[in-house]
């Protein structure tokens, strides 16, 4: 009964989070009821083209099975399921998306940013240590230990992370204020870029031995 109560509370909070994100979404406001996305590989636009509204169906606004746990059998022990406009075409122009994060015991969602979205996260299972870092010159670290039912906000564009410090699995849900929030995983982007950033640049920037930089580039390039 207690676990069911936590799940119900988390569902309500997640729905409220998505509703509130409408107000603060960074995407442009729609000019019609909806604009179901269609892909046109020949053209690039800021967003997606719209399907004829008369051809839209309920399935354009639907995604099944978000209650199903995802595999966390990887080096980080986490798995992010992002429902953005590519997964739910009906999100186009609505300025929101949703993510489920599954954690293995001591699993980590590593430091990353969403360049186009604020994120509001609710914990369903696990004990999640979260934090974000403010911009230069303050570089302040804001952290909190979250338990089931707790909510935390990550401001748009700032580096943040989530770490399950429990010896049990963890689950969180996040509302994001964009149909396409974007993702920059700091270590992967810096050390795993294509083509690689010059080791001389990274050696000086991170004050690391050049051999260490070259090792990290090989490590992250193969896992990116």
């Amino acid at each position: 009964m207690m676990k069911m109560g936590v799940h119900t509370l988390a569902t309500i909070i997640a729905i409220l989070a998505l509703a509130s994100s409408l107000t603060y979404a960074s995407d442009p406001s729609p000019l019609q009821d909806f604009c179901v996305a269609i892909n046109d590989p020949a053209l690039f636009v800021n967003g997606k083209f719209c399907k004829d509204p008369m051809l839209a169906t309920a399935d354009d606004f639907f995604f099944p099975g978000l209650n199903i746990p995802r595999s966390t059998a990887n080096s980080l022990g986490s798995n992010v399921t992002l429902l953005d406009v590519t997964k739910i075409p009906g999100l186009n122009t609505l300025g929101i998306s949703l993510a489920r994060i599954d954690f293995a015991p001591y699993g980590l969602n590593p430091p990353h940013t969403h360049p186009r979205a604020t994120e509001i996260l609710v914990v369903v299972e696990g004990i999640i240590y979260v934090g974000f870092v403010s911009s230069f010159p303050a570089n302040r670290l804001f952290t909190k230990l979250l338990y089931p039912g707790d909510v935390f906000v990550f401001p748009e564009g700032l580096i943040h992370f989530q770490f399950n410090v429990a010896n049990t699995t963890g689950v969180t849900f996040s509302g994001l204020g964009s149909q396409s929030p974007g993702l920059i995983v700091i270590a992967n982007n810096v050390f795993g870029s294509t083509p690689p950033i010059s080791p001389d640049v990274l050696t000086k920037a991170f004050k690391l031995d050049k051999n260490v930089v070259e090792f990290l580039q090989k490590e992250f390039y193969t896992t990116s």
Side-chain angles (χ1 to χ4, degrees), residues 128-150:
I128 312 298
Y129 174 65
V130 302
F132 68 85
V133 181
S134 68
S135 59
F136 180 84
N139 296 331
R140 289 187 62 197
L141 174 63
F142 296 79
T143 64
K144 197 74 176 176
L145 198 60
L146 304 183
Y147 297 87
D150 289 345

Side-chain angles (χ1 to χ4, degrees), residues 101 119-123 146 150-152 154 162 172-174:
I101 310 176
E119 175 180 355
I120 183 166
L121 174 144
V122 59
V123 177
L146 304 183
D150 289 345
V151 174
F152 197 81
F154 305 99
Q162 298 100 17
T172 65
F173 288 90
S174 292

Side-chain angles (χ1 to χ4, degrees), residues 28-35 50 92-94:
S29 298
L31 299 177
Q32 61 280 319
D33 287 344
F34 53 82
C35 172
C50 302
N92 193 37
T93 76
L94 298 185

Side-chain angles (χ1 to χ4, degrees), residues 39 41 46 79 83 89 98 100 102 113 118 122 134-135 138 148 171 211:
N39 291 316
N46 186 26
N79 191 325
L83 303 186
L98 175 68
R100 171 184 173 130
D102 289 276
T113 74
T118 293
V122 59
S134 68
S135 59
V171 178
N211 291 329

Side-chain angles (χ1 to χ4, degrees), residues 83-121:
L83 303 186
D84 61 3
V85 68
T86 64
K87 299 290 182 62
I88 306 178
L91 287 177
N92 193 37
T93 76
L94 298 185
I96 58 171
S97 54
L98 175 68
R100 171 184 173 130
I101 310 176
D102 289 276
F103 298 89
Y106 309 109
L108 172 69
N109 190 20
H112 62 281
T113 74
H114 302 294
R116 295 181 292 275
T118 293
E119 175 180 355
I120 183 166
L121 174 144

Side-chain angles (χ1 to χ4, degrees):
M1 288 294 292
M2 182 63 70
K3 190 170 185 179
M4 180 62 70
V6 169
H7 278 273
T8 302
L9 174 63
T11 302
I12 293 171
I13 293 174
I15 292 171
L16 291 174
L18 285 174
S20 66
S21 69
L22 281 169
T23 306
Y24 301 101
S26 61
D27 296 354
S29 298
L31 299 177
Q32 61 280 319
D33 287 344
F34 53 82
C35 172
V36 175
I38 57 173
N39 291 316
D40 188 334
L43 296 172
F44 293 90
V45 296
N46 186 26
K48 299 282 187 179
F49 285 106
C50 302
K51 177 189 287 190
D52 183 337
M54 298 305 296
L55 301 179
T57 69
D59 284 340
D60 292 321
F61 304 88
F62 173 75
F63 182 92
L66 199 60
N67 62 309
I68 300 171
R70 269 59 177 177
S71 172
T72 57
N74 54 62
S75 60
L76 293 172
S78 68
N79 191 325
V80 179
T81 303
L82 175 63
L83 303 186
D84 61 3
V85 68
T86 64
K87 299 290 182 62
I88 306 178
L91 287 177
N92 193 37
T93 76
L94 298 185
I96 58 171
S97 54
L98 175 68
R100 171 184 173 130
I101 310 176
D102 289 276
F103 298 89
Y106 309 109
L108 172 69
N109 190 20
H112 62 281
T113 74
H114 302 294
R116 295 181 292 275
T118 293
E119 175 180 355
I120 183 166
L121 174 144
V122 59
V123 177
V124 178
E125 296 177 10
I127 303 172
I128 312 298
Y129 174 65
V130 302
F132 68 85
V133 181
S134 68
S135 59
F136 180 84
N139 296 331
R140 289 187 62 197
L141 174 63
F142 296 79
T143 64
K144 197 74 176 176
L145 198 60
L146 304 183
Y147 297 87
D150 289 345
V151 174
F152 197 81
V153 173
F154 305 99
E156 180 176 338
L158 297 186
I159 295 173
H160 60 282
F161 60 86
Q162 298 100 17
F163 179 42
N164 181 24
V165 298
N167 61 2
T168 58
T169 58
V171 178
T172 65
F173 288 90
S174 292
L176 298 112
S178 172
Q179 70 180 44
S180 181
L183 175 65
I184 298 173
V185 181
I186 307 306
N188 296 61
N189 281 57
V190 171
F191 293 103
S193 66
T194 304
I197 299 172
S198 167
D200 293 330
V201 172
L202 298 181
T203 296
K204 191 164 187 177
F206 289 94
K207 298 179 174 63
L208 295 172
D209 183 271
K210 192 172 183 178
N211 291 329
V212 174
V213 169
E214 291 175 344
F215 169 80
L216 290 172
Q217 287 185 309
K218 289 179 183 178
E219 182 74 13
F220 282 99
Y221 184 78
T222 57
T223 57
S224 296

